[in-house]
Amino acid sequence: MITAQTIRDEFEKAFAAAPTLITRAPGRVNLIGEHTDYNAGFVLPIAIDRAMWIAARPRDARRVQMIALDFDGARSEFALDAPILRDDANAWSNYVRGVAWALQARGVVVPGIDLVVQGDVPLGSGLSSSAALEVCTATMFVELARAQISRVEIARLCQQAENDFVGVQCGIMDQFASALAQQDHALWIDCRDLSYRNVPLPRGATFVVCDTRKRRGLVDSEYNTRRAECEHAARAFGVAALRDVSLAEFQRREKELPPVVARRARHVITENARVLAAVAAAETNDLATFGALMNESHASLRDDYQVSCAELDALVEIARAQAGCWGARLTGAGFGGCAVNLVRNESVARFVENVAREYSRRVGIAPAVYPCQAMSGSQRVE
Ligand code: GLA
């Protein structure tokens, strides 16, 4: 387990001095509201009890020197007074570089530092390790620079780093959850105006994450295709984003759209409605309704949005067959990665055991199955 003590020790080993600052930012699991963020819609993620950590110390030279403990102590370094470039041999460092770049573009004077970074968010499994690293980095730089920047703006700057520096066209959900979530709550976000609300988690049940351990191959190109299809649909309806189309309006005019585009639009429009219904269900502790909405979300992602895969479908099917499982769905972009399940507290231990055994037997891969807790967003630890 990573703690302030363990990361401080690692920093001292690497740089023979004590760090002056430790920051931490969590990964996320989205409960419902998938592929809606870039359609100006609604999402409902939690920040999880797995995070990226940075220990840092300012230095005189205007350079950033980074050590990644998760990559065998790989090093990467860049100057702050020259154009910041990517280091694709150390792709992990591009998230730190991108955030420094976005902050400087916003007029923040980023100080030179030494840092070590380490995390326990599994990489490439759809739990947003990259957003966590961005938000952890931004929190550190903003603290050291004593800049007045709100958390919402931190999330936006991190998204900008990912879009324009790293080159991945993500929405705002992951960075927003990592920066703003509250313990024991899900975070309802309106991705149009970035207003948000903390929603208490349903009581008596736990969200259990199941990782298919299938690496997400197609995700980047397919993600961009889906985005383009959504934009196509929005243009056809004459609106800024699919958020603005009601189900009635969609049903009246869906025949005018190419069939694939119509399916994509139907997913987004119905998913937005499911998020609102899920918030109401959480607030009245209606586990059955919340779970049913998760199941509907998965079906829509599988059939209309077509971002599931055989492994995710198997996992969800196995999960739903277990006692005490209220609902199961893929979470994140899809094409592999994780599913999230709502499981009655008393049934969690059994669920974990049975799902792991059954999935291994059927798919031939051992999954990772673990309950997760909703934690607070990024913070300065020391
Ligand atoms: C990825 C992106 C998010 C969001 C999800 C799908 O996680 O980073 O912005 O679009 O996919 O809901």
PDB file of all heavy atoms in Angstrom, residues 15-32:
ATOM      1  N   PHE A  15      16.531  11.265  -4.096  1.00  0.00           N
ATOM      2  CA  PHE A  15      17.096  12.611  -4.194  1.00  0.00           C
ATOM      3  C   PHE A  15      17.911  13.024  -2.965  1.00  0.00           C
ATOM      4  O   PHE A  15      18.368  14.160  -2.882  1.00  0.00           O
ATOM      5  CB  PHE A  15      15.979  13.640  -4.431  1.00  0.00           C
ATOM      6  CG  PHE A  15      15.307  13.506  -5.774  1.00  0.00           C
ATOM      7  CD1 PHE A  15      14.006  13.024  -5.878  1.00  0.00           C
ATOM      8  CD2 PHE A  15      15.972  13.858  -6.938  1.00  0.00           C
ATOM      9  CE1 PHE A  15      13.388  12.907  -7.107  1.00  0.00           C
ATOM     10  CE2 PHE A  15      15.354  13.746  -8.183  1.00  0.00           C
ATOM     11  CZ  PHE A  15      14.059  13.262  -8.267  1.00  0.00           C
ATOM     12  N   ALA A  16      18.064  12.130  -1.996  1.00  0.00           N
ATOM     13  CA  ALA A  16      18.865  12.412  -0.793  1.00  0.00           C
ATOM     14  C   ALA A  16      18.444  13.708  -0.101  1.00  0.00           C
ATOM     15  O   ALA A  16      19.280  14.475   0.384  1.00  0.00           O
ATOM     16  CB  ALA A  16      20.361  12.454  -1.152  1.00  0.00           C
ATOM     17  N   ALA A  17      17.157  13.976  -0.096  1.00  0.00           N
ATOM     18  CA  ALA A  17      16.600  15.136   0.632  1.00  0.00           C
ATOM     19  C   ALA A  17      15.132  14.831   0.883  1.00  0.00           C
ATOM     20  O   ALA A  17      14.562  13.945   0.224  1.00  0.00           O
ATOM     21  CB  ALA A  17      16.730  16.399  -0.202  1.00  0.00           C
ATOM     22  N   ALA A  18      14.519  15.549   1.823  1.00  0.00           N
ATOM     23  CA  ALA A  18      13.103  15.287   2.111  1.00  0.00           C
ATOM     24  C   ALA A  18      12.215  16.063   1.142  1.00  0.00           C
ATOM     25  O   ALA A  18      12.549  17.179   0.750  1.00  0.00           O
ATOM     26  CB  ALA A  18      12.788  15.702   3.544  1.00  0.00           C
ATOM     27  N   PRO A  19      11.080  15.490   0.722  1.00  0.00           N
ATOM     28  CA  PRO A  19      10.148  16.250  -0.122  1.00  0.00           C
ATOM     29  C   PRO A  19       9.471  17.333   0.720  1.00  0.00           C
ATOM     30  O   PRO A  19       9.354  17.175   1.943  1.00  0.00           O
ATOM     31  CB  PRO A  19       9.132  15.196  -0.559  1.00  0.00           C
ATOM     32  CG  PRO A  19       9.160  14.162   0.528  1.00  0.00           C
ATOM     33  CD  PRO A  19      10.563  14.146   1.054  1.00  0.00           C
ATOM     34  N   THR A  20       9.031  18.402   0.074  1.00  0.00           N
ATOM     35  CA  THR A  20       8.324  19.441   0.829  1.00  0.00           C
ATOM     36  C   THR A  20       6.822  19.336   0.638  1.00  0.00           C
ATOM     37  O   THR A  20       6.056  20.007   1.295  1.00  0.00           O
ATOM     38  CB  THR A  20       8.765  20.847   0.390  1.00  0.00           C
ATOM     39  OG1 THR A  20       8.492  20.972  -1.006  1.00  0.00           O
ATOM     40  CG2 THR A  20      10.243  21.069   0.645  1.00  0.00           C
ATOM     41  N   LEU A  21       6.414  18.477  -0.277  1.00  0.00           N
ATOM     42  CA  LEU A  21       4.985  18.408  -0.587  1.00  0.00           C
ATOM     43  C   LEU A  21       4.637  17.015  -1.099  1.00  0.00           C
ATOM     44  O   LEU A  21       5.381  16.441  -1.891  1.00  0.00           O
ATOM     45  CB  LEU A  21       4.694  19.433  -1.702  1.00  0.00           C
ATOM     46  CG  LEU A  21       3.276  19.512  -2.221  1.00  0.00           C
ATOM     47  CD1 LEU A  21       2.409  20.257  -1.218  1.00  0.00           C
ATOM     48  CD2 LEU A  21       3.256  20.238  -3.548  1.00  0.00           C
ATOM     49  N   ILE A  22       3.488  16.496  -0.626  1.00  0.00           N
ATOM     50  CA  ILE A  22       2.985  15.228  -1.159  1.00  0.00           C
ATOM     51  C   ILE A  22       1.536  15.441  -1.587  1.00  0.00           C
ATOM     52  O   ILE A  22       0.732  15.985  -0.818  1.00  0.00           O
ATOM     53  CB  ILE A  22       3.086  14.103  -0.101  1.00  0.00           C
ATOM     54  CG1 ILE A  22       4.564  13.836   0.212  1.00  0.00           C
ATOM     55  CG2 ILE A  22       2.400  12.831  -0.587  1.00  0.00           C
ATOM     56  CD1 ILE A  22       4.793  12.860   1.344  1.00  0.00           C
ATOM     57  N   THR A  23       1.219  15.057  -2.812  1.00  0.00           N
ATOM     58  CA  THR A  23      -0.171  15.151  -3.268  1.00  0.00           C
ATOM     59  C   THR A  23      -0.649  13.782  -3.737  1.00  0.00           C
ATOM     60  O   THR A  23       0.146  12.900  -4.071  1.00  0.00           O
ATOM     61  CB  THR A  23      -0.348  16.159  -4.431  1.00  0.00           C
ATOM     62  OG1 THR A  23       0.540  15.800  -5.492  1.00  0.00           O
ATOM     63  CG2 THR A  23      -0.054  17.577  -3.986  1.00  0.00           C
ATOM     64  N   ARG A  24      -1.968  13.667  -3.765  1.00  0.00           N
ATOM     65  CA  ARG A  24      -2.569  12.391  -4.122  1.00  0.00           C
ATOM     66  C   ARG A  24      -3.849  12.685  -4.893  1.00  0.00           C
ATOM     67  O   ARG A  24      -4.557  13.643  -4.570  1.00  0.00           O
ATOM     68  CB  ARG A  24      -2.854  11.697  -2.790  1.00  0.00           C
ATOM     69  CG  ARG A  24      -3.867  10.688  -2.782  1.00  0.00           C
ATOM     70  CD  ARG A  24      -4.149  10.169  -1.368  1.00  0.00           C
ATOM     71  NE  ARG A  24      -4.983   9.017  -1.544  1.00  0.00           N
ATOM     72  CZ  ARG A  24      -6.257   9.092  -1.895  1.00  0.00           C
ATOM     73  NH1 ARG A  24      -6.850  10.240  -2.025  1.00  0.00           N
ATOM     74  NH2 ARG A  24      -6.949   7.992  -2.118  1.00  0.00           N
ATOM     75  N   ALA A  25      -4.133  11.905  -5.932  1.00  0.00           N
ATOM     76  CA  ALA A  25      -5.392  12.075  -6.671  1.00  0.00           C
ATOM     77  C   ALA A  25      -5.896  10.700  -7.096  1.00  0.00           C
ATOM     78  O   ALA A  25      -5.128   9.879  -7.593  1.00  0.00           O
ATOM     79  CB  ALA A  25      -5.183  12.959  -7.903  1.00  0.00           C
ATOM     80  N   PRO A  26      -7.180  10.439  -6.875  1.00  0.00           N
ATOM     81  CA  PRO A  26      -7.737   9.096  -7.096  1.00  0.00           C
ATOM     82  C   PRO A  26      -8.129   8.803  -8.538  1.00  0.00           C
ATOM     83  O   PRO A  26      -8.392   9.721  -9.330  1.00  0.00           O
ATOM     84  CB  PRO A  26      -9.000   9.107  -6.218  1.00  0.00           C
ATOM     85  CG  PRO A  26      -9.419  10.538  -6.182  1.00  0.00           C
ATOM     86  CD  PRO A  26      -8.154  11.353  -6.260  1.00  0.00           C
ATOM     87  N   GLY A  27      -8.239   7.519  -8.851  1.00  0.00           N
ATOM     88  CA  GLY A  27      -8.886   7.061 -10.078  1.00  0.00           C
ATOM     89  C   GLY A  27     -10.388   7.131  -9.892  1.00  0.00           C
ATOM     90  O   GLY A  27     -10.867   7.541  -8.830  1.00  0.00           O
ATOM     91  N   ARG A  28     -11.147   6.725 -10.893  1.00  0.00           N
ATOM     92  CA  ARG A  28     -12.605   6.812 -10.778  1.00  0.00           C
ATOM     93  C   ARG A  28     -13.287   5.581 -11.354  1.00  0.00           C
ATOM     94  O   ARG A  28     -12.724   4.867 -12.190  1.00  0.00           O
ATOM     95  CB  ARG A  28     -13.153   8.065 -11.439  1.00  0.00           C
ATOM     96  CG  ARG A  28     -12.993   8.117 -12.955  1.00  0.00           C
ATOM     97  CD  ARG A  28     -14.218   7.628 -13.715  1.00  0.00           C
ATOM     98  NE  ARG A  28     -13.965   7.501 -15.153  1.00  0.00           N
ATOM     99  CZ  ARG A  28     -13.565   6.388 -15.736  1.00  0.00           C
ATOM    100  NH1 ARG A  28     -13.340   5.303 -15.029  1.00  0.00           N
ATOM    101  NH2 ARG A  28     -13.363   6.339 -17.040  1.00  0.00           N
ATOM    102  N   VAL A  29     -14.505   5.360 -10.864  1.00  0.00           N
ATOM    103  CA  VAL A  29     -15.399   4.388 -11.500  1.00  0.00           C
ATOM    104  C   VAL A  29     -16.673   5.153 -11.816  1.00  0.00           C
ATOM    105  O   VAL A  29     -17.225   5.819 -10.934  1.00  0.00           O
ATOM    106  CB  VAL A  29     -15.715   3.211 -10.540  1.00  0.00           C
ATOM    107  CG1 VAL A  29     -16.919   2.440 -11.037  1.00  0.00           C
ATOM    108  CG2 VAL A  29     -14.530   2.277 -10.432  1.00  0.00           C
ATOM    109  N   ASN A  30     -17.128   5.066 -13.042  1.00  0.00           N
ATOM    110  CA  ASN A  30     -18.374   5.747 -13.372  1.00  0.00           C
ATOM    111  C   ASN A  30     -19.536   4.802 -13.080  1.00  0.00           C
ATOM    112  O   ASN A  30     -19.558   3.671 -13.557  1.00  0.00           O
ATOM    113  CB  ASN A  30     -18.366   6.149 -14.851  1.00  0.00           C
ATOM    114  CG  ASN A  30     -19.532   7.055 -15.187  1.00  0.00           C
ATOM    115  OD1 ASN A  30     -20.108   7.693 -14.286  1.00  0.00           O
ATOM    116  ND2 ASN A  30     -19.884   7.133 -16.452  1.00  0.00           N
ATOM    117  N   LEU A  31     -20.509   5.265 -12.276  1.00  0.00           N
ATOM    118  CA  LEU A  31     -21.637   4.407 -11.912  1.00  0.00           C
ATOM    119  C   LEU A  31     -22.650   4.328 -13.045  1.00  0.00           C
ATOM    120  O   LEU A  31     -23.209   3.279 -13.315  1.00  0.00           O
ATOM    121  CB  LEU A  31     -22.315   4.926 -10.638  1.00  0.00           C
ATOM    122  CG  LEU A  31     -21.392   5.076  -9.420  1.00  0.00           C
ATOM    123  CD1 LEU A  31     -22.196   5.524  -8.208  1.00  0.00           C
ATOM    124  CD2 LEU A  31     -20.641   3.773  -9.126  1.00  0.00           C
ATOM    125  N   ILE A  32     -22.886   5.462 -13.693  1.00  0.00           N
ATOM    126  CA  ILE A  32     -23.797   5.489 -14.849  1.00  0.00           C
ATOM    127  C   ILE A  32     -23.609   6.823 -15.572  1.00  0.00           C
ATOM    128  O   ILE A  32     -23.171   7.804 -14.970  1.00  0.00           O
ATOM    129  CB  ILE A  32     -25.266   5.253 -14.409  1.00  0.00           C
ATOM    130  CG1 ILE A  32     -26.150   4.907 -15.606  1.00  0.00           C
ATOM    131  CG2 ILE A  32     -25.825   6.449 -13.625  1.00  0.00           C
ATOM    132  CD1 ILE A  32     -27.445   4.183 -15.220  1.00  0.00           C
TER     133      ILE A  32
END
